[in-house]
C-alpha cells in the first residue's frame, strides 16, 4: 500500500523537469490518445453507417432519383409491417431456416465431435476430412449442389431411384426448397460446430467422468448427466455463432434459388439485397436493415443471457 | 510572402497558359469549310463511357478504340462492367452529379423510363439533325424503323440501338420428323405439339421456356400479346387481369407444367439453352440471340438439327418483345458533342458491318443484308427474325415502368404460382394489385 502511494506521487514529479508543455499534455492524456485512433475508426466504420442507416430509414430515396432523400417519417415501417406482402413471409422463412440450421448443425456437430474425441487409428485424417466442407468456397459449393440437385440430370435423384425412392424436386419446388437448402447449409457448417465441440470436450476435466464411472454410470448416463451439463457453455457459444450466421444466410440461397421458386426461399437478408441493389430503393432497404439488425441483436442477447445463466 | 523568384514563376506560368488558351480559341476550324465531315473538330477532348459487358463492347468496340482516337483525336475511356455492377456503378456516378460520365449503355426496356425520369439521357434528335455534328454517311434511316423505336422512350429519342433481339421458336427437326409432327403455326397447335412430343419415361420434354421468377416475364410476353393483351392499358395502369392476359398466363403455365421438364420454375435462359443443347427438349422459346451457341458443335449436341420459326400466332397475330441495348450521351456530360462523335462512330455503317461479321445481330439494314451476315447464320433463323421484326413490340419485355425489377418480380411470382398449379385468374389479380401499387409509389 505504501509503495503504491509513493509510486503515484513520484511519477509525475519525475516527468515534470523534462519535456515541453505539449509533451506534458500528451503525458497527461495518454490514456485517451492511445486508443484514440481505434475509437475514431470504430466510430467511422460502425457507428456512423448504423446511425446513417437509421436516418435513411425515415426517408424515401431511390438511388436513381433526381431528388435527394425525402423525409417520410415512419411510413417505411408502416408499409413494412402492415402492407408489405413479402416482408412477413421472408421473416418466417428466416426464422424457420435459422431454427433448422442451428438445431441440425449443433446436434450433428456434438455427435461427430463425440466420435472424433476418441482415440482411434486415422483420427487425424478423419478430423481433417471432416473440415473440408467448411473450407470450400460457399458459392462454388452451392453451384456443385445445384448440379447434383438438378431434377433432370442430377445425381441425387439417380441415387434416390437406386434405393427405390421417388425423385425429389429439391430446390425446384416451393414445398421442398427450404429442406434442400438446409441440407446444403448443414453439410457446410456442421464442421464448425464440430470444431467448437471438440475444443470444449478436450478442455473438460477428467475427474467428474472418473467418479461417474466409479459410481457405475452407463455411458449414456455419463453423456446426459456429466458431458452435456459441463459442455453447456460451449454449446451455447456454438449455437450463438450459428444463429447469427444462419440469420444472415445469403450466399447459398442467392446462388441456388435467388429466393425462389416465387418467393418461397426468400430470407430477410436476400430481400434487403434485392430492395437495395436491384430495386435501388435505399430508403425502404434501410428500414428493412434496421428491423433485421434488431432481430439479430435480440437473438444474440437472448443467447448470451442463456450462456450467463449456464455458468 | 512570395519571393521575387516565385512571383516570376507564377507570371510565366500564367503567360504560358494564356498563350495556350489564346491559341486554342484562335484555332480556325470551321466545320463547314471542309469538303468532308470534320472528325477532328473535338480533337484533344476526353470522353468516358460506362458500358455493359457483351461481345459487342468487348470484342467489337474495345479493340477498335485506337482507330477512333486516331480519326478524331478524342481520347476514350471505355469502362466495361457485368450487368448488375454496371447498373450500380452508373447509378452511383450519375446521382453524384459529377458529370464524369459522358456516355453509357442502357437496356431501354429495363432502364429506359427510370433513366429518362432521372434526366440522365441527352435527347439525340438535335445531334442527328445537325449536319455539323452528324456526317452525311451516318444515315439513321438505315436502321430498321422498329429498332429506332427501341431507342425512343416516351416519344423521346435517347440514343442509338445496338443489337436487337426478338423471341423465336427453336425446334428439333429430327424429332418432329420422327414423330410426324408439323411445325406449329398457332398457339393451339403449339400446345398440342408440346404434349405430343413429351415422353416423360424417357426424360424427354415437349417444350421449355423460362420458369424462374423475374426472367420468365420476358418469355411470357408473346403469350399475352398473341391473344390480344398488353402489359399496360392506355392510362399506364397494369392490364394483367384482361381476358387475353389471363389466357396467356394460363396457357404458358399449363404448357410448362404439362410438357416442360421437372423443376422448370428454376429455369432461366441459361438452363433453356442447356436443356435444348443437351437434347432434352423438342421445342424452346427464348431470345433469338442463342443461335450461335446452338449451332456450335462444341457446345451443342443438336447442332445442325435445329429449326427456327416465328413464335406461333394467336387470335391477335404473332408479336414478340423487340428489345436492344442502346448507347446514349449523358445529359450531365461536359463534352456532349465529343461523346456523340463516339456514339456516331461506334454505330456507323462500317462498325455495324464489323459487328454483323462477328454474327452479332444488327439494327442496320445495310449490315443485315450484307453477304457476310447473310452467309454466316442459318437461313431459317434469318428469315424468322426478319419476319418477326416489323410485328415486334419495341421494349415490351415487361411493363415499361420506372421500377422494372420490382414489377418483374411480382409478375414472375404469378407465373411461378400458375406453373405450380394455381388458377391463372387469382395469380393475375394478385400481380395486378401489386404492380398497380408499385406504379403508384414510383411514378
Amino acid at each position: 500500500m505504501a509503495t503504491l502511494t509513493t509510486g503515484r506521487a513520484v511519477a509525475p514529479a519525475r516527468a515534470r523537469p523534462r519535456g515541453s508543455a505539449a509533451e506534458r499534455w500528451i503525458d497527461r492524456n495518454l490514456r485517451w490518445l492511445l486508443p484514440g485512433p481505434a475509437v475514431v475508426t470504430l466510430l467511422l466504420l460502425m457507428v456512423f453507417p448504423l446511425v446513417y442507416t437509421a436516418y435513411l430509414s425515415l426517408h424515401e430515396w431511390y438511388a436513381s432519383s433526381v431528388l435527394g432523400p425525402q423525409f417520410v417519417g415512419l411510413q417505411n415501417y408502416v408499409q413494412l409491417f402492415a402492407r408489405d406482402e413479402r416482408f412477413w413471409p421472408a421473416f418466417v422463412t428466416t426464422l424457420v431456416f435459422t431454427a433448422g440450421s442451428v438445431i441440425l448443425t449443433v446436434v450433428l456437430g456434438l455427435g461427430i465431435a463425440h466420435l472424433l474425441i476418441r482415440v482411434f487409428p486415422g483420427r487425424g485424417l478423419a478430423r481433417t476430412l471432416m473440415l473440408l466442407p467448411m473450407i470450400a468456397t460457399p458459392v462454388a459449393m452451392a453451384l456443385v449442389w445445384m448440379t447434383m440437385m438438378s431434377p433432370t440430370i442430377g445425381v441425387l435423384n439417380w441415387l434416390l431411384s437406386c434405393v427405390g425412392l421417388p425423385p425429389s424436386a429439391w430446390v425446384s419446388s416451393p414445398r421442398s426448397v427450404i429442406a434442400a437448402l438446409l441440407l446444403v447449409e448443414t453439410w457446410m457448417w456442421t464442421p464448425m460446430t464440430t470444431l467448437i465441440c471438440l475444443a470444449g470436450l478436450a478442455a473438460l476435466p477428467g475427474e467428474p467422468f472418473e467418479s461417474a464411472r466409479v459410481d457405475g454410470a452407463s455411458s449414456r448416463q455419463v453423456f446426459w448427466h456429466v458431458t452435456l451439463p459441463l459442455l453447456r457453455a460451449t454449446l451455447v457459444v456454438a449455437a450463438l455463432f450459428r444463429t447469427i450466421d444462419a440469420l444472415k444466410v445469403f450466399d447459398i440461397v442467392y446462388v441456388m434459388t435467388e429466393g425462389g421458386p416465387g418467393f418461397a426461399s426468400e430470407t430477410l437478408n436476400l430481400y434487403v439485397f434485392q430492395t437495395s441493389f436491384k430495386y435501388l430503393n435505399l430508403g425502404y432497404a434501410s428500414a428493412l436493415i434496421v428491423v433485421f439488425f434488431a432481430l439479430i441483436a435480440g437473438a444474440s442477447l437472448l443467447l448470451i443471457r442463456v450462456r450467463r445463466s449456464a455458468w | 510572402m512570395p519571393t521575387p523568384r516565385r512571383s516570376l514563376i507564377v507570371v510565366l506560368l500564367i503567360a504560358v497558359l494564356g498563350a495556350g488558351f489564346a491559341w486554342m480559341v484562335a484555332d480556325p476550324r470551321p466545320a463547314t469549310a471542309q469538303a468532308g465531315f470534320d472528325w477532328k473538330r473535338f480533337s484533344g477532348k476526353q470522353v468516358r463511357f460506362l458500358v455493359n459487358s457483351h461481345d459487342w463492347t468487348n470484342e467489337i468496340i474495345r479493340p477498335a478504340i485506337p482507330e477512333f482516337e486516331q480519326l478524331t483525336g478524342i481520347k476514350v475511356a471505355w469502362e466495361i462492367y457485368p450487368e448488375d455492377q454496371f447498373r450500380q456503378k452508373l447509378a452511383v456516378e450519375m446521382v453524384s452529379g459529377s458529370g464524369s460520365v459522358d456516355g453509357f449503355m442502357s437496356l431501354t426496356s429495363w432502364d429506359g423510363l427510370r433513366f429518362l425520369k432521372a434526366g440522365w439521357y441527352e435527347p439525340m434528335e438535335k445531334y442527328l439533325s445537325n449536319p455539323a455534328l452528324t456526317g452525311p454517311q451516318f444515315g439513321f434511316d438505315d436502321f430498321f424503323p422498329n429498332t429506332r423505336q427501341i431507342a425512343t422512350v416516351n416519344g423521346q429519342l435517347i440514343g442509338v440501338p445496338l443489337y436487337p433481339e426478338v423471341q423465336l421458336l427453336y425446334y428439333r427437326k429430327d424429332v418432329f420428323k420422327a414423330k410426324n409432327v408439323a411445325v406449329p403455326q398457332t398457339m393451339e397447335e403449339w400446345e398440342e405439339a408440346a404434349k405430343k412430343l413429351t415422353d416423360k419415361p424417357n426424360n424427354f420434354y415437349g417444350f421449355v421456356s423460362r420458369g424462374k421468377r423475374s426472367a420468365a416475364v420476358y418469355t411470357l410476353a408473346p403469350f399475352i400479346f398473341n391473344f390480344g393483351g398488353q402489359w399496360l392499358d392506355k392510362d399506364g395502369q397494369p392490364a394483367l387481369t384482361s381476358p387475353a392476359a389471363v389466357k396467356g398466363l394460363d396457357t404458358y403455365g399449363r404448357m410448362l407444367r404439362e410438357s416442360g421438364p421437372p423443376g422448370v420454375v428454376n429455369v432461366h435462359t441459361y438452363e433453356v439453352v442447356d436443356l435444348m443443347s443437351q437434347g432434352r427438349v423438342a421445342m424452346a422459346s427464348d431470345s433469338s440471340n442463342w443461335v450461335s451457341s446452338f449451332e456450335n458443335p462444341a457446345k451443342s449436341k443438336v447442332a445442325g438439327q435445329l429449326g427456327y420459326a416465328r413464335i406461333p400466332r394467336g387470335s391477335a397475330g404473332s408479336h414478340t418483345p423487340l428489345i436492344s441495348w442502346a448507347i446514349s450521351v449523358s445529359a450531365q456530360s461536359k463534352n456532349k458533342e465529343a461523346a456523340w462523335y463516339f456514339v456516331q462512330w461506334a454505330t456507323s455503317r462500317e462498325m455495324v458491318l464489323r459487328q454483323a461479321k462477328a454474327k452479332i445481330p444488327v439494327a442496320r439494314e445495310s449490315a443485315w443484308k450484307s453477304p457476310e451476315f447473310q452467309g454466316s447464320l442459318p437461313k431459317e433463323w434469318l428469315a424468322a427474325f426478319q419476319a418477326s421484326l416489323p410485328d415486334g413490340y419495341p421494349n415490351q419485355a415487361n411493363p415499361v415502368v420506372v421500377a422494372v425489377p420490382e414489377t418483374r418480380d411480382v409478375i414472375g411470382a404469378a407465373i411461378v404460382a400458375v406453373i405450380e398449379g394455381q388458377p391463372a385468374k387469382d395469380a393475375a389479380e394478385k400481380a395486378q394489385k401489386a404492380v398497380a401499387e408499385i406504379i403508384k409509389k414510383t411514378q
Side-chain angles (χ1 to χ4, degrees):
Chain A
M1 199 61 184
T3 29
L4 201 64
T5 348
T6 24
R8 263 189 197 159
V10 164
R14 223 188 288 154
R16 203 176 297 136
R18 279 179 287 154
S20 62
E23 273 174 342
R24 261 179 285 133
W25 184 85
I26 290 175
D27 250 14
R28 260 202 318 277
N29 294 294
L30 211 52
R31 59 193 166 141
W32 302 113
L33 287 174
L34 284 184
V39 170
V40 170
T41 314
L42 198 74
L43 283 177
L44 278 180
L45 291 182
M46 303 209 32
V47 180
F48 171 72
L50 211 72
V51 172
Y52 189 63
T53 305
Y55 164 83
L56 263 190
S57 74
L58 302 177
H59 292 72
E60 181 180 300
W61 187 37
Y62 279 84
S64 62
S65 143
V66 235
L67 305 164
Q70 305 287 308
F71 184 77
V72 292
L74 292 173
Q75 195 188 298
N76 282 335
Y77 292 95
V78 173
Q79 165 84 13
L80 200 155
F81 288 117
R83 292 212 296 274
D84 190 332
E85 291 195 0
R86 281 167 72 177
F87 173 74
W88 286 113
F91 189 85
V92 171
T93 305
T94 308
L95 291 189
V96 169
F97 184 85
T98 304
S101 169
V102 171
I103 292 170
L104 285 170
T105 52
V106 172
V107 169
L108 277 175
L110 177 64
I112 294 170
H114 213 253
L115 288 177
L116 290 180
I117 197 81
R118 293 158 199 230
V119 184
F120 59 91
R123 185 173 73 152
L125 183 71
R127 284 183 174 184
T128 313
L129 287 179
M130 183 56 219
L131 282 180
L132 284 181
M134 198 175 81
I135 297 164
T137 327
V139 171
M141 287 305 104
L143 286 172
V144 170
W145 275 99
M146 241 349 236
T147 319
M148 293 201 294
M149 287 177 173
S150 160
T152 27
I153 53 167
V155 69
L156 291 187
N157 272 351
W158 177 78
L159 285 174
L160 284 184
S161 70
C162 285
V163 292
L165 288 170
S168 167
W170 303 105
V171 290
S172 301
S173 158
R175 282 172 293 280
S176 55
V177 62
I178 297 293
L181 286 171
L182 273 176
L183 173 69
V184 180
E185 166 92 356
T186 307
W187 173 84
M188 205 176 283
W189 291 110
T190 298
M192 189 181 97
T193 51
T194 307
L195 215 59
I196 297 174
C197 291
L198 263 177
L201 283 173
L204 291 186
E207 293 85 355
F209 293 93
E210 274 171 36
S211 62
R213 231 162 279 133
V214 168
D215 290 344
S218 71
S219 48
R220 184 184 295 175
Q221 280 171 324
V222 169
F223 180 79
W224 282 110
H225 299 293
V226 182
T227 314
L228 266 191
L230 283 175
L231 213 54
R232 187 167 161 195
T234 309
L235 288 177
V236 172
V237 169
L240 180 66
F241 282 168
R242 286 301 311 133
T243 305
I244 295 174
D245 271 356
L247 282 172
K248 293 193 299 185
V249 68
F250 181 78
D251 35 27
I252 61 168
V253 183
Y254 186 71
V255 172
M256 296 184 71
T257 68
E258 263 183 82
F263 298 116
S265 63
E266 186 167 74
T267 61
L268 275 181
N269 208 9
L270 220 71
Y271 186 34
V272 169
F273 177 84
Q274 303 273 23
T275 311
S276 52
F277 293 108
K278 253 178 96 185
Y279 308 164
L280 303 175
N281 189 351
L282 298 184
Y284 196 64
S286 300
L288 279 170
I289 289 172
V290 169
V291 173
F292 189 34
F293 177 78
L295 175 69
I296 294 177
S300 308
L301 285 177
L302 198 75
L303 276 164
I304 288 171
R305 180 156 292 182
V306 173
R307 182 169 180 269
R308 287 244 174 83
S309 69
W311 280 120
Chain B
M1 175 127 183
T3 60
R5 200 158 46 157
R6 206 185 284 169
S7 21
L8 187 69
I9 293 177
V10 170
V11 168
L12 273 177
L13 212 73
I14 291 173
V16 169
L17 284 178
F21 185 66
W23 174 78
M24 268 167 28
V25 170
D27 186 31
R29 236 181 263 251
T32 43
Q34 288 184 9
F37 179 66
D38 184 10
W39 280 105
K40 287 268 188 239
R41 188 167 162 205
F42 300 104
S43 184
K45 299 262 190 204
Q46 273 201 11
V47 291
R48 175 165 172 257
F49 278 79
L50 293 192
V51 295
N52 173 47
S53 179
H54 182 270
D55 283 353
W56 180 80
T57 34
N58 300 325
E59 282 153 39
I60 306 296
I61 299 302
R62 184 164 56 186
I65 283 178
E67 295 173 36
F68 173 76
E69 295 182 331
Q70 211 173 9
L71 173 72
T72 61
I74 299 170
K75 289 284 284 174
V76 180
W78 187 244
E79 290 181 27
I80 305 172
Y81 300 94
E83 189 165 341
D84 284 352
Q85 285 90 315
F86 161 76
R87 286 204 177 89
Q88 286 158 25
K89 174 92 181 151
L90 187 66
V92 169
E93 297 237 5
M94 296 303 281
V95 166
S96 81
S98 66
S100 62
V101 177
D102 297 296
F104 51 81
M105 280 167 62
S106 58
L107 180 60
T108 38
S109 56
W110 188 283
D111 307 306
L113 203 57
R114 172 169 288 189
F115 286 13
L116 185 85
K117 292 252 158 112
W120 295 354
Y121 288 124
E122 175 73 3
M124 230 54 295
E125 205 68 71
K126 59 175 185 258
Y127 293 79
L128 276 166
S129 56
N130 183 347
L133 289 174
T134 303
Q137 336 63 326
F138 184 69
F140 199 46
D141 297 347
D142 186 27
F143 286 81
F144 289 112
N146 227 356
T147 64
R148 276 181 263 152
Q149 285 305 309
I150 301 174
T152 307
V153 183
N154 265 11
Q156 180 89 262
L157 186 69
I158 51 82
V160 182
L162 299 173
Y163 31 88
E165 51 189 283
V166 295
Q167 278 176 45
L168 294 178
L169 176 66
Y170 298 92
Y171 65 95
R172 285 276 300 280
K173 283 183 173 169
D174 51 337
V175 176
F176 271 67
K177 209 169 160 196
K179 298 223 173 165
N180 200 18
V181 177
V183 181
Q185 303 294 320
T186 65
M187 300 300 274
E188 292 74 29
E189 290 172 20
W190 194 5
E191 189 170 359
E192 202 57 36
K195 259 190 213 153
K196 234 186 243 173
L197 294 164
T198 302
D199 180 6
K200 284 187 183 168
N202 284 316
N203 210 359
F204 187 83
Y205 303 91
F207 170 64
V208 72
S209 197
R210 304 179 191 181
K212 200 165 179 171
R213 198 174 66 215
S214 169
V217 174
Y218 173 63
T219 37
L220 165 70
F223 285 75
I224 293 184
F225 303 157
N226 292 2
F227 290 125
Q230 290 286 346
W231 291 120
L232 302 174
D233 64 17
K234 285 193 298 292
D235 308 319
Q237 287 306 307
L240 300 169
T241 43
S242 74
V246 173
K247 190 173 175 195
L249 182 61
D250 187 41
T251 310
Y252 189 73
R254 193 174 55 240
M255 274 175 75
L256 285 178
R257 183 171 61 242
E258 289 173 359
S259 312
V264 73
V265 289
N266 252 346
V267 165
H268 199 303
T269 182
Y270 314 104
E271 285 79 21
V272 171
V273 175
D274 274 353
L275 287 160
M276 194 82 211
S277 308
Q278 295 300 314
R280 297 259 174 198
V281 289
M283 287 184 285
S285 74
D286 209 299
S287 157
S288 48
N289 279 350
W290 295 113
V291 58
S292 309
S293 154
F294 285 142
E295 294 296 339
N296 177 354
K299 288 184 189 164
S300 163
K301 280 187 188 167
V302 297
Q305 289 167 358
L306 282 195
Y308 306 89
R310 290 186 67 171
I311 298 289
R313 63 173 187 276
S315 51
S318 167
H319 305 277
T320 92
L322 170 62
I323 58 173
S324 170
W325 283 79
I327 186 163
S328 305
V329 173
S330 162
Q332 298 175 2
S333 164
K334 297 179 183 88
N335 297 309
K336 293 189 186 116
E337 284 93 356
W340 162 246
Y341 262 44
F342 182 79
V343 169
Q344 181 181 175
W345 168 83
T347 57
S348 64
R349 280 173 207 269
E350 198 208 320
M351 290 309 293
V352 175
L353 186 61
R354 249 184 248 186
Q355 173 185 341
K357 281 178 190 166
K359 298 189 193 180
I360 303 173
V362 289
R364 273 185 184 274
E365 200 169 351
S366 61
W368 184 278
K369 295 210 163 128
S370 68
E372 290 93 337
F373 189 63
Q374 294 286 323
S376 67
L377 288 165
K379 287 265 166 302
E380 257 193 338
W381 181 88
L382 288 162
F385 192 120
Q386 220 178 331
S388 306
L389 203 49
D391 290 335
Y393 288 160
N395 290 339
Q396 298 297 318
N398 40 259
V400 178
V401 292
V402 168
V404 170
E406 293 95 312
T407 304
R408 276 182 80 136
D409 269 343
V410 296
I411 300 177
I415 301 173
V416 170
V418 175
I419 294 174
E420 290 286 328
Q422 245 187 52
K425 198 160 188 313
D426 299 356
E429 263 159 21
K430 203 173 159 203
Q432 167 88 6
K433 229 179 81 200
V435 174
E437 172 107 343
I438 291 171
I439 290 177
K440 201 175 106 201
K441 239 171 39 193
T442 55
Q443 266 167 247

